[in-house]
Amino acid sequence: MSRGKQLSGAVLTIAAFFAWLGVSSRSAIAQEQIQIDARAQTTPFPHFWEEMFGSGRAILTLRESYRDDLRAVKKVADFRYVRFHAILHDEVGVYNEDEHGNPVYNFSYVDQIYDGLLKNGVKPFIEISFMPKKLAFNPDALHPFWYKQNVSPPKSMELWDGLMTHFAQHLVDRYGIDEVAAWYFEVWNEPNIDFWNGIPRQKSYFELYAHTARDLKAVSPRLRVGGPATAAAAWVGDFLKYTAANNVPVDFVSTHGYADDTVEDLFGTSEDIPMDDRVCRAVAKVQGEIKASSTPTLPLFWTEWNVQGMNESRDTIFVGPALANTIRQCDGDVQMLSFWTFSDVFEEGGPIAQPFEGEFGLRAKGGINKPSYYAYGLLHQLGDERIADSSKDIIVTKKANGSLSIAVWNLVDPDKKGSTRQIYLSFLGVPPSSQVTIQRVDDDHGNVLPKYAAMGKPLDPTPDQVEQLNRETALPPAQAAKLQDSKLDLTLTPNALVLVEIHP
C-alpha cells in the first residue's frame, strides 16, 4: 500500500480512488498520448529476458542461501536456465592427477550442483571454465577475483580432450541424453580479456573452442555447444569465420554487453550512444554479424548483461524501467538475454559485507527482495504476443484469452533528476466495460531502500528483519480501475514501472 497506508472499509470518491492508484482523472493533461488498438496485428513475443539468469560461480549453488534465492526468483520469473562460472575450479574437485601424472576425475560435486538445479526446476547453461591447476600450462595464472580462478590454457590438449570427453559422458550417463541435449555448453568466459591468458589470445581460444566442441560432439552430436562468450560483444565475426573455415561445430553464438560498457569497447567508435541504448545496439551489431556469416540462422544468447550501475542504481527502482526499455529495444534480435545476476550470493570481490552495495542481483544479502525482483514479477505477466507501438515508454502485449498486458514506465537515469510524467492511454477495440487492473513498482511500492533505512541499515539483518522487509515491500494485489470513454490516464513518478491489464 502507498506509504504503508491501507484502504479502510469506507467508500472512496472516484477522484480519491484514482489518486491512490496513481491514476489521474480525465481532466489531467497528459505529457504523452498513446493509442492502443487491441485489434491490431500481433507478433510473437517470447519472454527472452527471463529464459536464463547468471550467478556467481559453481560452488555457490550448494549453499542454501543460493537455492533460497533461486526458488524465490523462479516464482516471479520462472526462468529455465542458470549460468555460472568455474565448474572446473579446483574447489569443485573435478580434475586431479596421480603420482604418474595420469588424470583422475571426480564428479561428486558436479552431480550435487546439477542435481540441485534440476530439483528446483532449472537446467544448467554450462560455462566450461576455468582451468584446473594440475591441468594448467601456468598453475600460477590466477585471476584477481577473490576465488582466484586459473585462466591459463591447458598444458596438454590431449589431457583437455580427455577431461571434456569424460565430463560430457558422465553427464549423459547420469542424466540421460534427452535431458543433457536440452542443456547448453558454452566454452569459457570472456576470453578476450583477462579471464584467458592464452597467447595469442584469440587464436589460442579458438583452438580451445575447436577441441572442446569436437570433444562434446564425439560424445553425442545432440550436445549443443557455442561461444565465444566474449566481453563487450567482441570477436563474433572472426569466431564464425574460424568455425566455418575449419568445420568446427557451433550451435549458438554467445557474447556479453552491459549498459555501462564503453562505446569504444562495444563498437570501436567514439559515437555518443546513451547507456540505455548500448546493450540492444550491441545485440543488433552482433545479430548483423551472424546474418552476414555462413551460418546466418544461429541463435544469439546474450549470456551476461545488466543496467548501468552508477550510484548503486542496481539496488533501486531504476532497474525496472531500464529492464523494460531494454526488452522493448531487443525484442526480435536475441533468443536469450541473461541478466547478471539473480542473486547477491556472489563473491567476485569477496563475501558481501552488507546489503545494498549496488551488486548485480535481484535479491540482496540475506534474501532481501530488491525493486528489480518485483519489476521482474510485473514483466513476467506480459503476454506472448506483442502489438507494435512507436512509443519509447510502453510495451503492449496480448494473451491467448484476449486480455491486454501493458508495461508503461518513466525512465530516468541514475545521474538525472527527472520529473513526474502523465501518459494518456486511448484504447480501440476494447469494450468500455472491460475490467482494468494496475500494479506498480515505484518509490512507494516494492522499494526496500526506505524500509531498510528506517530499520537502521543493519549490516547483518536477522531472519526476522529480512522477513519484515520482504513483507513490507511485497506488492499488494492488483488494484481495480475503470476506463473512462475507453481512456486511462496514468501518473508516473520518476522510474515508476506500471503494469496495466485490460480484461474484456
Side-chain angles (χ1 to χ4, degrees), residues 102 106 114 123 140-141 156 235 244-245 254 259 279 348 428 450 454 463 465:
N102 298 312
N106 185 339
Y114 294 152
K123 299 181 186 299
D140 297 321
S156 160
W235 286 7
S254 68
V279 170
E348 288 182 354
L428 299 174
Q465 288 174 320

Side-chain angles (χ1 to χ4, degrees), residues 16 52 69 86 119 131 133 158 161 181 186 190 194-195 228 322 327 336 369 387 393 401 413 432 477:
M52 174 168 58
D69 285 356
K119 183 178 179 180
M131 194 61 61
K133 288 184 183 178
E158 183 181 1
D161 291 337
E186 181 185 41
E190 299 187 347
D194 62 353
F195 293 99
I327 294 168
M336 285 198 277
N369 296 332
I387 297 174
D393 312 308
N401 63 6
D413 286 341

Side-chain angles (χ1 to χ4, degrees), residues 46 118 170 175 203 241 254 263 280 307 312-313 319 332 355 357 365 383 414 456 459 471:
L118 295 171
H170 173 81
Y175 300 105
K203 181 180 179 181
K241 289 177 184 176
S254 68
V263 171
C280 296
V307 304
E312 299 184 351
S313 60
V319 178
E357 296 182 336
K365 174 184 174 180
L459 297 183
R471 172 168 36 85

Side-chain angles (χ1 to χ4, degrees), residues 144-163:
F145 277 174
W146 184 75
Y147 60 93
K148 298 297 183 287
Q149 69 272 35
N150 189 287
V151 297
S152 170
K155 65 184 179 182
S156 160
M157 276 299 180
E158 183 181 1
L159 290 173
W160 176 261
D161 291 337
L163 173 57

Side-chain angles (χ1 to χ4, degrees), residues 32-38 389 423-428 430 483-489:
E32 183 176 3
Q33 298 189 33
I34 301 173
Q35 187 175 81
I36 297 170
D37 187 349
D389 197 286
I423 296 181
Y424 193 65
L425 304 181
S426 177
F427 294 92
L428 299 174
V430 173
L483 297 179
Q484 297 184 13
D485 297 330
S486 297
K487 297 178 176 64
L488 186 67
D489 192 5

